[in-house]
Amino acid sequence: MQFTTLTPVNVLTGFLGSGKTTLLNRWVRQASMRNTLVVINEFGDIGLDHQLITHSDEQAVVEMSSGCLCCTLRGDLSRTLQQAINELLAKGKPAPARVVIETTGLADPAPILQLLMTDHWLAHRFQLDSVVCCVDAANGEATLQAHRESQRQVAVADRLLITKTDLVNQECLTPLANQLASLNPAAEQWQVVNGNLSPDLLVGAGLYRGASQGYQVEQWLKSSSYQLHHATDHGRDEIQQPGVASTLEPPSSQPSLTRHGENINAFCFCIEEPITPDALENWLDLLMSFMGEKMLRIKAVVHLTDREEPLALHGVQHIFHPPAPLPINSVTDRISRFVFITQNVAPDTVAQLYSFFAPAGSSTTTSTSTNEANP
């Protein structure tokens, strides 16, 4: 089977009781979701409205009255999607125009993102569009404090949906929104009541938006979400490495904005001169070797010394998608920008490791999140 374009994939995650079921029930009813394949773990677990499902054979693609299709994840995602699409084609139906994958409440979404990068069959047919995470307005703060899985779900998301907002007052929403912004400052936040939300807000976070929009580099990287603070701005010395300036910690007036729970940090590391291919490869290899599991998600636009075109990098923990060449006119300068979401890895550690491979006199900066929540 040949695909003329890569099919967008949206991953829906969120802790137990966060409202994924309600959102998905609303989402699949939208006209824009026709010919979408929804991959779930168990029909019984997700509890989709029985009126949406025409039959419930767990081994088959289930057709919903909304026009969506649904199948159950059985072990390997690649095999599940291959079987589902082969079944559709055998029935004379088109391949899905979009895939939505719902994770269990206790699941870390990282393995799904990694599989989309590494599985040959998937990587040549599908591309990640967005990771959408639901957070319960009433219990979200306590859940984030108590459960590592919840923190990681929020940290890797592109869209954060604060659900059940009708059950709490605004005074309760503000602290939660600030917590979410500290964990993941680049993710858009939206407040949701009874799963009512425009589906357009859940999609469109990918690097390539199709022929009509092309590459949306800044919207994908969101490097502007990280406000630059030199270490000397708040009375700390810069790292003693040639040409390296880095923020050692967030300003003392906002000590929690880049740390929460097990020290999840969100920051942007910039390298102002083009990087040699060897320096980039050795630096990333070192990062992955020593702290791969702690590098929750990495996005980057990189300029190398041996090519004019920039490259886009996307990594999840120790797995990187093959570099994607970008059009020269998709960026406005030659600064390489790396957005990191890490766990127990501080910004200065990343800067220090790069200094081992950087040429003398190279200039780098680190930006950390100081923005307020954006509910």
Side-chain angles (χ1 to χ4, degrees), residues 341-361:
I341 303 291
T342 68
Q343 190 163 32
N344 292 327
V345 179
D348 57 305
T349 300
V350 172
Q352 287 174 330
L353 290 179
Y354 178 73
S355 70
F356 297 151
F357 308 104

Side-chain angles (χ1 to χ4, degrees), residues 274-275 277 302-311 323-326 334:
I275 310 169
V302 181
H303 296 272
L304 298 179
T305 55
D306 63 346
R307 59 184 300 144
E308 289 296 321
E309 301 86 357
L311 294 176
L326 298 173
R334 296 279 286 172

Side-chain angles (χ1 to χ4, degrees), residues 1-216:
M1 179 174 54
Q2 297 294 322
F3 284 73
T4 56
T5 58
L6 298 180
T7 303
V9 175
N10 303 95
V11 177
L12 177 61
T13 188
F15 203 71
L16 298 170
S18 62
K20 295 192 303 295
T21 299
T22 301
L23 175 71
L24 193 55
N25 273 317
R26 297 278 187 176
W27 196 2
V28 298
R29 286 189 172 98
Q30 305 299 315
S32 60
M33 289 288 283
R34 295 189 67 85
N35 197 29
T36 292
L37 179 63
V38 180
V39 181
I40 62 177
N41 293 281
E42 297 284 353
F43 284 115
D45 286 350
I46 194 169
L48 282 173
D49 188 337
H50 69 279
Q51 294 181 352
L52 293 175
I53 301 177
T54 57
H55 64 283
S56 57
D57 181 356
E58 292 187 354
Q59 302 306 317
V61 175
V62 173
E63 185 172 356
M64 303 182 192
S65 58
S66 63
C68 288
L69 307 162
C70 195
C71 69
T72 312
L73 182 58
R74 287 286 182 260
D76 183 74
L77 177 64
S78 179
R79 184 173 65 252
T80 295
L81 286 177
Q82 289 185 56
Q83 292 173 346
I85 292 175
N86 287 338
E87 180 179 338
L88 291 172
L89 297 179
K91 294 178 178 179
K93 297 179 179 293
R98 179 178 300 278
V99 173
V100 175
I101 302 171
E102 181 270 342
T103 71
T104 64
L106 294 173
D108 183 347
I112 290 178
L113 306 187
Q114 291 174 343
L115 195 60
L116 291 171
M117 298 176 183
T118 59
D119 182 90
H120 180 82
W121 189 86
L122 291 174
H124 285 79
R125 291 162 174 82
F126 302 93
Q127 63 180 350
L128 179 66
D129 179 54
S130 68
V131 179
V132 179
C133 180
C134 295
V135 181
D136 182 349
N139 301 307
E141 283 191 88
T143 300
L144 287 169
Q145 293 287 351
H147 297 282
R148 177 174 177 264
E149 297 88 353
S150 176
Q151 298 172 16
R152 294 167 74 94
Q153 290 167 354
V154 168
V156 303
D158 300 296
R159 305 281 192 267
L160 295 172
L161 308 182
I162 304 178
T163 61
K164 307 179 184 179
T165 54
D166 55 317
L167 303 181
V168 299
N169 56 38
Q170 188 63 42
E171 288 73 18
C172 295
L173 286 176
T174 300
L176 174 60
N178 286 331
Q179 274 193 331
L180 297 177
S182 71
L183 279 170
N184 190 340
E188 296 179 11
Q189 288 187 31
W190 302 97
Q191 296 181 11
V192 184
V193 178
N194 294 326
N196 288 318
L197 191 71
S198 169
D200 293 340
L201 301 178
L202 305 177
V203 302
L207 175 61
Y208 183 69
R209 313 289 173 84
S212 61
Q213 299 184 59
Y215 290 93
Q216 301 293 316

Side-chain angles (χ1 to χ4, degrees), residues 172-361:
C172 295
L173 286 176
T174 300
L176 174 60
N178 286 331
Q179 274 193 331
L180 297 177
S182 71
L183 279 170
N184 190 340
E188 296 179 11
Q189 288 187 31
W190 302 97
Q191 296 181 11
V192 184
V193 178
N194 294 326
N196 288 318
L197 191 71
S198 169
D200 293 340
L201 301 178
L202 305 177
V203 302
L207 175 61
Y208 183 69
R209 313 289 173 84
S212 61
Q213 299 184 59
Y215 290 93
Q216 301 293 316
V217 175
E218 178 51 36
Q219 291 90 330
W220 172 72
L221 191 62
K222 295 289 186 70
S223 60
S224 59
S225 299
Y226 306 85
Q227 182 177 345
L228 179 63
H229 282 265
H230 291 288
T232 53
D233 287 347
H234 48 91
R236 296 296 300 267
D237 294 332
E238 296 179 356
I239 299 174
Q240 298 303 308
Q241 296 289 345
V244 174
S246 174
T247 301
L248 298 183
E249 62 182 42
S252 58
S253 61
Q254 294 176 316
S256 65
L257 283 183
T258 57
R259 288 191 172 88
H260 180 83
E262 297 186 24
N263 290 337
I264 289 182
N265 293 289
F267 56 95
C268 181
F269 181 68
C270 299
I271 302 171
E272 297 185 9
E273 298 86 9
I275 310 169
T276 66
D278 286 345
L280 177 66
E281 181 177 0
N282 292 333
W283 175 50
L284 293 180
D285 282 348
L286 187 62
L287 284 174
M288 297 306 103
S289 297
F290 283 95
M291 53 196 70
E293 293 298 319
K294 300 176 181 179
M295 311 299 286
L296 302 185
R297 196 171 182 185
I298 302 171
K299 294 180 181 180
V301 173
V302 181
H303 296 272
L304 298 179
T305 55
D306 63 346
R307 59 184 300 144
E308 289 296 321
E309 301 86 357
L311 294 176
L313 300 180
H314 183 208
V316 178
Q317 295 179 331
H318 59 284
I319 301 295
F320 269 88
H321 192 281
L326 298 173
I328 294 178
N329 61 2
S330 64
V331 296
T332 59
D333 57 36
R334 296 279 286 172
I335 298 175
S336 297
R337 294 176 172 87
F338 297 80
V339 170
F340 289 91
I341 303 291
T342 68
Q343 190 163 32
N344 292 327
V345 179
D348 57 305
T349 300
V350 172
Q352 287 174 330
L353 290 179
Y354 178 73
S355 70
F356 297 151
F357 308 104

